[in-house]
Amino acid sequence: MAKLLEGRPIAQNLKQEIIKEISILGKKPVLASIMVGDNAGAEAYAKSQKKTAQDLGIEYQFHKLSADVAEKVLTEFIEKLNKDKSVNGIIIQMPLPQQIDYKKISQYISPDKDTEGMHPLNIGKILFNKAKLIPCTASAVMELLNATGVQLRGKEVVIVGHSEIVGKPLALLLLDKFATVTVCHIGTQEAGKIKEHVRRAEVLIVAVGKAELIKGGWIKEGAIVIDVGINRVADKIVGDVEFEEAAKHASWITPVPGGVGPLTVTMLMRNVVEALKEVSNGRKVF
Ligand code: NAD
């Protein structure tokens, strides 16, 4: 039976480290959060960010813009925050209204303040194993893997899902640990090959958003299973992996909820501190 790989205790340790780092820096980091329009889910997420920030001694500035804001107004607002020396990090809450293109907008955030690690410059640095600001969900998965104490070198790692925020950056981070990485996606599914890849995974990471897409019986004996998926099914939150059956085969498995989720906000806060450290050190190149 698998051991439960929970995010909360790991987040607790990381939070202690963050508090220590802030006290060494002797400066209160400031995270500016931008929300466009109303969305209950995004408001709840922003609230949890605010609480975590306050617990850690990070100032959380919340800025709400109206749902019909023009792209130009939003980019000017971001530019203003870029120039504001008292602000260390900027996050744009999702979802954005239709008239706003997130991929375009996120490029207006100064790479130094890109606490979600989504600016092309920061994504590019991952390729060189030099990134300081890494997409939060991807770094949360790396922290969970680290907590198992299992060496990734030479391991067969299979990632299902190739999004910019999870699968793609994770593939690069895992290559830098010398894992053998396979990335599956909708094309793999269309070719009917998901099961054969999952079956040989010594480490399986799933980030698709389809309830129990991965059957428990496919899990290799002793595999580590990280389930990033969040799906609401009949008032219950479930992951992308059939948990009960998978737990019979895996050595470690993340619960949903309670696995990746509790760590993501902590990783965001770590990025805010990293951003402050970069500025304090005056580092611009690697
Ligand atoms: P996305 O929609 O951007 O990407 C989905 C990926 O799954 C794509 O690579 C797509 O090709 C692939 N895919 C779609 N259907 C498939 C199928 N039937 N078989 C195989 N692959 C398929 O998703 P995302 O933004 O990376 O999010 C994925 C899931 O992770 C969602 O449930 C999301 O809510 C969750 N998530 C959780 C956290 C967290 O903090 N726990 C953070 C981010 C995302």
Side-chain angles (χ1 to χ4, degrees):
M1 198 65 183
K3 283 178 268 187
L4 213 50
L5 191 49
E6 289 181 291
R8 235 164 242 115
I10 304 169
Q12 268 322 106
N13 288 341
L14 289 170
K15 281 177 184 170
Q16 292 312 314
E17 284 174 24
I18 292 172
I19 290 170
K20 223 182 279 171
E21 283 205 88
I22 294 174
S23 85
I24 291 168
L25 285 164
K27 213 171 150 193
K28 196 178 175 95
V30 177
L31 173 62
S33 160
I34 306 172
M35 184 177 293
V36 185
D38 295 300
N39 181 283
E43 301 234 2
Y45 187 43
K47 228 172 151 180
S48 101
Q49 289 167 7
K50 184 176 179 178
K51 161 121 191 19
T52 309
Q54 284 171 343
D55 290 350
L56 298 175
I58 294 173
E59 186 181 325
Y60 190 84
Q61 288 180 0
F62 186 66
H63 304 278
K64 190 156 178 182
L65 305 182
S66 68
D68 60 357
V69 70
E71 201 171 86
K72 191 167 178 295
V73 174
L74 178 57
T75 57
E76 282 168 2
F77 190 72
I78 294 170
E79 296 287 12
K80 201 175 90 191
L81 292 172
N82 283 341
K83 287 194 189 112
D84 185 340
K85 284 197 165 47
S86 70
V87 171
N88 307 109
I90 302 170
I91 176 171
I92 299 176
Q93 304 296 337
M94 296 297 286
L96 287 168
Q98 263 188 338
Q99 77 274 17
I100 312 280
D101 175 355
Y102 173 73
K103 281 187 189 164
K104 190 171 155 198
I105 283 295
S106 62
Q107 293 184 43
Y108 281 89
I109 296 177
S110 163
D112 295 343
K113 300 190 179 187
D114 169 36
T115 39
E116 288 183 284
M118 289 310 295
H119 190 284
L121 193 86
N122 289 319
I123 296 280
K125 283 185 185 177
I126 300 178
L127 197 73
F128 297 103
N129 197 15
K130 294 287 181 194
K132 299 277 182 208
L133 301 175
I134 296 170
C136 306
T137 313
S139 57
V141 172
M142 293 305 287
E143 288 296 335
L144 286 160
L145 290 174
N146 187 39
T148 65
V150 172
Q151 280 290 325
L152 292 168
R153 196 178 181 99
K155 286 277 182 313
E156 286 287 344
V157 180
V158 175
I159 304 171
V160 188
H162 79 318
S163 69
E164 281 92 10
I165 61 163
V166 194
K168 285 183 190 173
L170 258 179
L172 294 173
L173 294 167
L174 288 158
L175 282 174
D176 280 324
K177 300 286 180 201
F178 295 93
T180 306
V181 184
T182 304
V183 185
C184 303
H185 39 68
I186 190 69
T188 323
Q189 168 81 1
E190 286 160 4
K193 292 181 178 167
I194 294 281
K195 182 177 169 182
E196 71 182 66
H197 287 292
V198 169
R199 285 195 96 112
R200 59 179 180 73
E202 294 172 289
V203 175
L204 175 69
I205 301 156
V206 190
V208 172
K210 295 229 165 11
E212 303 184 337
L213 172 81
I214 306 298
K215 303 303 164 207
W218 300 354
I219 306 298
K220 190 182 176 77
E221 290 304 315
I224 299 174
V225 178
I226 312 276
D227 190 350
V228 183
I230 302 172
N231 310 286
R232 187 171 284 279
V233 177
D235 263 6
K236 233 181 100 189
I237 302 287
V238 298
D240 290 346
V241 179
E242 223 179 37
F243 181 85
E244 299 293 336
E245 191 57 32
K248 292 181 190 161
H249 304 283
S251 57
W252 290 94
I253 189 165
T254 55
V256 178
V260 180
L263 264 171
T264 315
V265 179
T266 307
M267 304 320 291
L268 172 69
M269 300 307 156
R270 188 163 82 177
N271 279 349
V272 180
V273 178
E274 280 302 322
L276 176 60
K277 271 162 58 183
E278 289 290 284
V279 175
S280 305
N281 291 341
R283 255 186 271 152
K284 284 283 173 226
V285 291
F286 61 84

